[in-house]
Amino acid sequence: MGTTAAYHRHVPVHPATDATGHDLVAGDDSGGPSGELPGGSGHPVDLSLEELEGKARRVIGEMAYAYFAGGADDERLLAGNIEAWARWQLHPRVLAGIAGVDLSTTLLGTAVSSPVVIAPTAVQRLAHADGETATARGAAAVGALMVLSSLASCSLEEVAAAAPGGPRWMQVYILRDRARTVDLVRRAAGHGYGALVLTVDTVVSGLRLRELRGGVRLPPDLALPNVAGGSAQRAHDGGLMAVVTREFEPSLTPDDVGWLAGLSELPVVVKGVQRADDARRCVEVGAAAIVVSNHGGRQLADAPATADIVGEIADAVGDRAEVYVDGGIRRAPDVVKALALGARAVLIGRPTLWALAAGGADGVVALLRWYERELRRTMALCGAATVGGIDRSLVRRAP
């Protein structure tokens, strides 16, 4: 599948290291200095996500690229999600006595290496032959949390076996045939998944024109082992949008959050929340965390960008539940802005797919190390030594 090396260019001079060799950016982890490629020099890395995406597109072909890259309708929200983070500025404090930067945090009590989480994305064997097992190995190698899609092309058992020590959560949909959802939850609980991430923004499929025009179908050699039933055949015949329309329960209410929570001891995270009142309702019925998300711009093209709403949702939830966010987060400064606005973590989707396609598990490691390195740099420049030290004072609306 190639490597990500061409898109991770090492900078020959190390400007972040002083005369004593002290480096706030590299950190000290068993996988080598953050941001370097396996076997790399530890120097700063110039990573072009645009070039990485181009490499991935050539590797996976146009049908798979249309599925992963596409959005709803005219795709205005794809660009809007990214652009919205630029409407916020970091407001750095100086003379903060930063001697080191610690990225570690906890998510629902699970220790993770950084607040960057692998988002649930479906059918990753369209990106790489090893699919979700490679992503899991890459995430586990750096101690990052991975959320596995219930529409994965590898079974949750395979993923657990591929990275037994890695933190992992299971994304779920409530299906019309609820017995299949019950079975999935029991399997996840029995194989070390630490939470259930319930996606609630798919009452119907968004109008994904790029998928329709590209003839996106699940290839005959791939399956959907986590939902079983007739899902794979439906995806072979009519694409993944047909699975959403025919199999997902459209009439969800807050009571269904409680129903899911009652199936196991696992905490429930509700993903796809875009309103403060909805977030409050989810918390009132037992949600342990909220993911502010517009499904990567794949459902309603005229919805708000997540950067514009995460702050108000975090304020509404307060300390009653954790808040995470996805949508358009590409750079380390975006991550810091999200945390300053009230999120505890961010979920990264498409960049992970491009790294997986270009370099398999090693590509995922390299991407996560890059985020870690640049997070350390950004936090040091902002005067924040820990993730907990990032607060609302570090961000302001751009004029």
Side-chain angles (χ1 to χ4, degrees):
M1 283 292 183
T3 103
T4 56
Y7 308 101
H8 293 69
R9 294 179 288 269
H10 290 293
V11 179
V13 179
H14 199 336
T17 304
D18 63 22
T20 67
H22 181 54
D23 186 354
L24 293 180
V25 177
D28 181 18
D29 49 60
S30 59
S34 296
E36 73 177 54
L37 289 168
S41 67
H43 284 181
V45 170
D46 173 14
L47 169 62
S48 168
L49 289 178
E50 292 78 11
E51 291 180 17
L52 185 61
E53 180 177 346
K55 166 68 174 179
R57 183 175 186 172
R58 292 190 293 273
V59 168
I60 66 179
E62 288 304 307
M63 188 197 75
Y65 181 75
Y67 176 66
F68 290 137
D73 296 292
D74 62 1
E75 300 188 338
R76 71 183 69 183
L77 192 51
L78 288 181
N81 271 339
I82 296 172
E83 292 164 359
W85 293 105
R87 292 198 285 270
W88 294 95
Q89 295 175 331
L90 291 172
H91 200 188
R93 64 172 66 97
V94 297
L95 304 176
I98 303 296
V101 175
D102 181 7
L103 301 181
S104 63
T105 188
T106 60
L107 303 175
L108 297 183
T110 297
V112 292
S113 57
S114 88
V116 175
V117 174
I118 301 293
T121 52
V123 201
Q124 292 183 19
R125 278 186 169 153
L126 286 176
H128 189 277
D130 293 337
E132 292 84 0
T133 61
T135 303
R137 290 195 303 271
V142 302
L145 173 65
M146 174 184 176
V147 184
L148 179 67
S149 172
S150 61
L151 297 181
S153 47
C154 297
S155 72
L156 66 88
E157 292 86 357
E158 291 176 301
V159 171
R168 55 186 178 274
W169 293 353
M170 187 73 214
Q171 180 269 338
V172 299
Y173 296 100
I174 294 179
L175 304 177
R176 295 173 190 262
D177 179 0
R178 294 199 175 209
R180 293 164 62 196
T181 300
V182 172
D183 178 66
L184 178 64
V185 170
R186 288 174 177 166
R187 289 166 59 197
H191 285 83
Y193 290 79
L196 303 173
V197 180
L198 173 64
T199 297
V200 295
D201 59 358
T202 51
V203 293
V204 295
S205 174
L207 181 59
R208 302 172 190 172
L209 294 175
R210 202 186 315 196
E211 284 187 42
L212 290 172
R213 293 165 180 165
V216 173
R217 300 287 188 275
L218 184 70
D221 59 332
L222 296 184
L224 301 173
N226 295 316
V227 289
S231 300
Q233 189 58 52
R234 188 162 282 123
H236 294 320
D237 296 339
L240 282 236
M241 286 191 293
V243 176
V244 175
T245 301
R246 296 290 298 277
E247 300 193 22
F248 290 9
E249 174 59 68
S251 56
L252 296 179
T253 72
D255 290 341
D256 292 303
V257 177
W259 175 80
L260 185 67
L263 297 180
S264 74
E265 297 298 317
L266 300 178
V268 172
V269 179
V270 181
K271 180 178 182 291
V273 177
Q274 300 180 59
R275 294 171 57 102
D277 54 356
D278 282 341
R280 283 191 293 264
R281 289 197 300 159
C282 290
V283 173
E284 288 166 1
V285 295
I290 299 294
V291 182
V292 180
S293 173
N294 54 39
H295 215 102
R298 295 166 69 81
Q299 285 295 94
L300 182 65
D302 291 275
T306 52
D308 292 332
I309 55 177
V310 62
E312 65 192 65
I313 292 174
D315 290 343
V317 169
D319 59 3
R320 295 180 295 163
E322 295 183 0
V323 173
Y324 319 132
V325 64
D326 67 15
I329 296 165
R330 294 295 180 267
R331 305 159 51 249
D334 300 335
V335 178
V336 176
K337 292 173 188 178
L339 270 56
L341 289 168
R344 190 174 180 88
V346 303
L347 282 69
I348 303 295
R350 290 182 178 93
T352 306
L353 291 169
W354 310 145
L356 172 67
D362 286 346
V364 174
V365 170
L367 178 74
L368 291 171
R369 294 293 188 206
W370 175 73
Y371 274 116
E372 287 184 351
R373 176 182 288 279
E374 295 312 313
L375 268 174
R376 287 192 178 94
R377 188 190 312 279
T378 304
M379 288 170 60
L381 290 171
C382 286
T386 66
V387 170
I390 300 172
D391 58 29
R392 194 67 63 89
S393 73
L394 290 180
V395 73
R396 64 192 294 272
R397 193 77 173 183

